[in-house]
Amino acid sequence: MTFFKILFSTIFVTAVACGCKVKNFSAGQESFKLTKQSDVEIKSKNFDSAAILIAKALAMDSNNYIAYNNRAYLKREQNKPSQEIIDDYKKALTIAPEYEIALYSLTNYYSEIREYQNTINLANRYLSLQLSQQLDSEQMANIYYKLANSEEKLLQFDQAIIDFKKAIEIKPANKYSHFGLGECYYYGSNDIPAALAEFTEALDIDSTYAVAYIEREKCDRNSKPPLLKQAESDAINANRYETKSKNKNDTTGRTFERARKSLNPKVAEADAFYKSIHTLYLPAKVANQNLIDNIVADLTKIQNKSTANVDIKYLRKLVDDALAANTNLLNKLKDITEIDSAIDCKKKLFICQKSFQILLVSDMPKFIDILQYANNYRFTAAMDAIKTNLTLIHKQNIEFEIAENELFNKYTLH
């Protein structure tokens, strides 16, 4: 923190602000000197000495607002209860409402303890001093960042974008401001190109900034077209530079995700649809894949040795399992409302699974019958029984996966 500006050329504001009589001027002056000495002790981390000097200063002049500010800072260094610290800052500001240092310090403290609305209130009070005072540009950039960060945490994304930009205008090389602005674009307005640019800017400033890689990877995958190579690279770098802050960022990200879905009904609807489709499809996909894997293994056996034994009983069980999962999926799929007819994700899954049902009901009994006969033509006959539908299913499954990815990317469901 910037330590206290004390102007000896000024007739003590303490005396003027409280309407003290001339006979108290000497006490106020001495109190002010003691406060100045406490600055030195605080800087040297001689906290006990600083506390004694501040106590003496306030005993001489209970309206010494600088002493209250110093005491608040001292209590922060000593990890005193939050309310004690806040009370001292507020006491200083009650006496001198435009005392820049206390406004700056209390804004930072509210941000530190995550009292976001209070941070916003105090930050705006501090920034209003621009009308009457020359504020330090470094401090102004910091306050704009704290203001924007608090607005973002309260999901006031539009206003946060404005204030992050002001922070960046004053201090362009602040990776945190670029990162925060990127989050607002991504979670608040679904502006993927703008978010991508800001996360990239943050990484240009600090190439080891792990959470920026994490967020940029989401933008990579949601870009049109998806930037898959960069996404892969960003995932690798995120793991390489992973820090303890990642868990905290994940929690914040989940909060922003919920906010984005609540602020954008279409995204919320798409998210619910996507999860429903995925949840229904997963059991059928596992059962289907188990059957396909076994078919491939059986065909390999009889191709290599035409008289090889095949476990027909197990194969029938896999067919029954796949048919049960397939039938369940098709029945439940009817109840899900399609979110985007242009993509037709539901329709494409339905078509694919209908073809799989035909394979299970019509082709697999023939396939199993053929496998039970050990002869030199078994492999060719078995392949002919399933080849047409398996080829079609493979093609339709790819079409469904493309539609699923298109839905996921269009509505930025990361």
Side-chain angles (χ1 to χ4, degrees):
M1 126 179 214
T2 302
F3 278 87
F4 318 104
K5 302 172 184 175
I6 302 175
L7 305 177
F8 287 105
S9 60
T10 304
I11 296 177
F12 297 99
V13 181
T14 323
V16 174
C18 64
C20 296
K21 297 179 181 178
V22 176
K23 66 180 182 180
N24 291 330
F25 179 80
S26 178
Q29 186 179 33
E30 186 61 31
S31 175
F32 200 77
K33 287 180 180 178
L34 290 171
T35 305
K36 174 67 175 176
Q37 292 172 27
S38 76
D39 290 350
V40 177
E41 297 300 324
I42 289 174
K43 288 178 185 178
S44 302
K45 297 194 178 298
N46 298 323
F47 296 146
D48 290 341
S49 299
I52 292 170
L53 290 168
I54 291 169
K56 287 182 178 178
L58 288 171
M60 289 181 176
D61 182 0
S62 62
N63 287 301
N64 185 339
Y65 58 92
I66 299 175
Y68 285 114
N69 181 80
N70 283 23
R71 191 167 75 177
Y73 179 80
L74 181 60
K75 287 178 178 179
R76 286 177 69 174
E77 291 291 305
Q78 296 173 321
N79 294 316
K80 296 288 186 181
S82 295
Q83 197 55 52
E84 286 188 29
I85 297 167
I86 292 168
D87 286 345
D88 274 345
Y89 280 134
K90 284 185 173 180
K91 183 69 175 176
L93 290 169
T94 298
I95 298 167
E98 294 190 353
Y99 181 31
E100 170 200 348
I101 295 165
L103 282 171
Y104 178 81
S105 300
L106 184 52
T107 302
N108 278 284
Y109 186 64
Y110 275 137
S111 176
E112 181 184 316
I113 62 175
R114 302 180 187 179
E115 290 196 13
Y116 298 123
Q117 189 56 56
N118 282 328
T119 303
I120 292 170
N121 296 340
L122 265 291
N124 283 320
R125 277 183 63 183
Y126 173 85
L127 292 167
S128 71
L129 296 179
Q130 295 175 76
L131 299 174
S132 58
Q133 299 184 36
Q134 184 68 38
L135 299 178
D136 180 85
S137 61
E138 186 81 14
Q139 291 185 3
M140 282 182 62
N142 179 52
I143 292 299
Y144 271 121
Y145 168 75
K146 296 291 172 61
L147 172 61
N149 183 64
S150 295
E151 289 164 340
E152 181 191 5
K153 292 297 189 296
L154 294 181
L155 312 180
Q156 300 168 12
F157 293 113
D158 290 344
Q159 187 58 48
I161 287 172
I162 293 170
D163 291 321
F164 273 129
K165 285 182 176 179
K166 289 179 180 176
I168 291 168
E169 184 179 343
I170 299 170
K171 190 177 179 181
N174 186 337
K175 65 180 182 181
Y176 301 109
S177 293
H178 286 288
F179 179 80
L181 182 55
E183 284 190 313
C184 288
Y185 281 135
Y186 181 76
Y187 293 107
S189 55
N190 288 327
D191 189 339
I192 305 302
L196 186 64
E198 292 304 323
F199 292 133
T200 300
E201 189 72 33
L203 288 166
D204 286 344
I205 296 167
D206 180 0
S207 62
T208 68
Y209 195 14
V211 292
Y213 283 116
I214 293 170
E215 295 303 310
R216 191 170 74 173
E217 184 193 356
K218 297 176 183 179
C219 293
D220 298 336
R221 297 190 185 282
N222 284 314
S223 294
K224 295 178 176 55
L227 307 174
L228 299 180
K229 287 187 178 178
Q230 181 169 289
E232 185 177 347
S233 173
D234 285 342
I236 291 169
N237 283 320
N239 289 328
R240 179 183 300 166
Y241 301 117
E242 185 177 5
T243 64
K244 292 180 180 177
S245 65
K246 183 175 181 294
N247 289 334
K248 177 182 174 183
N249 185 72
D250 284 348
T251 302
T252 302
R254 286 194 295 273
T255 300
F256 290 160
E257 282 289 1
R258 288 194 296 271
R260 186 161 55 86
K261 290 165 189 172
S262 66
L263 293 169
N264 189 332
K266 199 69 174 176
V267 172
E269 188 181 352
D271 183 68
F273 173 78
Y274 177 82
K275 286 178 179 174
S276 298
I277 290 282
H278 189 71
T279 301
L280 287 177
Y281 179 45
L282 189 58
K285 184 177 182 180
V286 171
N288 295 352
Q289 192 61 52
N290 285 341
L291 177 61
I292 297 296
D293 290 345
N294 200 83
I295 289 173
V296 171
D298 288 342
L299 288 171
T300 304
K301 278 184 186 179
I302 63 174
Q303 183 181 30
N304 295 332
K305 184 181 178 183
S306 62
T307 58
N309 290 324
V310 175
D311 190 344
I312 300 299
K313 184 178 180 180
Y314 180 63
L315 183 55
R316 283 198 174 110
K317 180 182 183 306
L318 290 176
V319 172
D320 289 342
D321 290 345
L323 184 56
N326 168 269
T327 303
N328 185 57
L329 171 61
L330 290 171
N331 288 337
K332 290 187 176 178
L333 205 54
K334 296 174 184 176
D335 298 328
I336 298 177
T337 304
E338 175 69 72
I339 178 64
D340 193 322
S341 57
I343 297 172
D344 270 344
C345 184
K346 171 189 168 182
K347 182 179 179 181
K348 287 169 183 172
L349 177 58
F350 189 86
I351 290 171
C352 177
Q353 287 301 302
K354 265 294 185 182
S355 295
F356 205 89
Q357 189 176 69
I358 293 170
L359 173 80
L360 293 168
V361 174
S362 300
D363 297 347
M364 285 308 297
K366 298 174 189 175
F367 180 80
I368 291 171
D369 284 343
I370 292 167
L371 291 184
Q372 293 183 86
Y373 298 99
N375 58 61
N376 293 331
Y377 304 102
R378 188 161 59 148
F379 173 77
T380 303
M383 279 294 296
D384 288 343
I386 61 172
K387 185 176 179 180
T388 302
N389 268 329
L390 270 184
T391 303
L392 179 63
I393 290 165
H394 178 67
K395 177 177 176 292
Q396 290 172 343
N397 191 60
I398 290 173
E399 290 175 354
F400 163 66
E401 288 179 352
I402 292 171
E404 190 179 30
N405 288 332
E406 189 178 348
L407 177 81
F408 193 86
N409 292 330
K410 181 173 181 178
Y411 295 97
T412 59
L413 301 177
H414 274 293

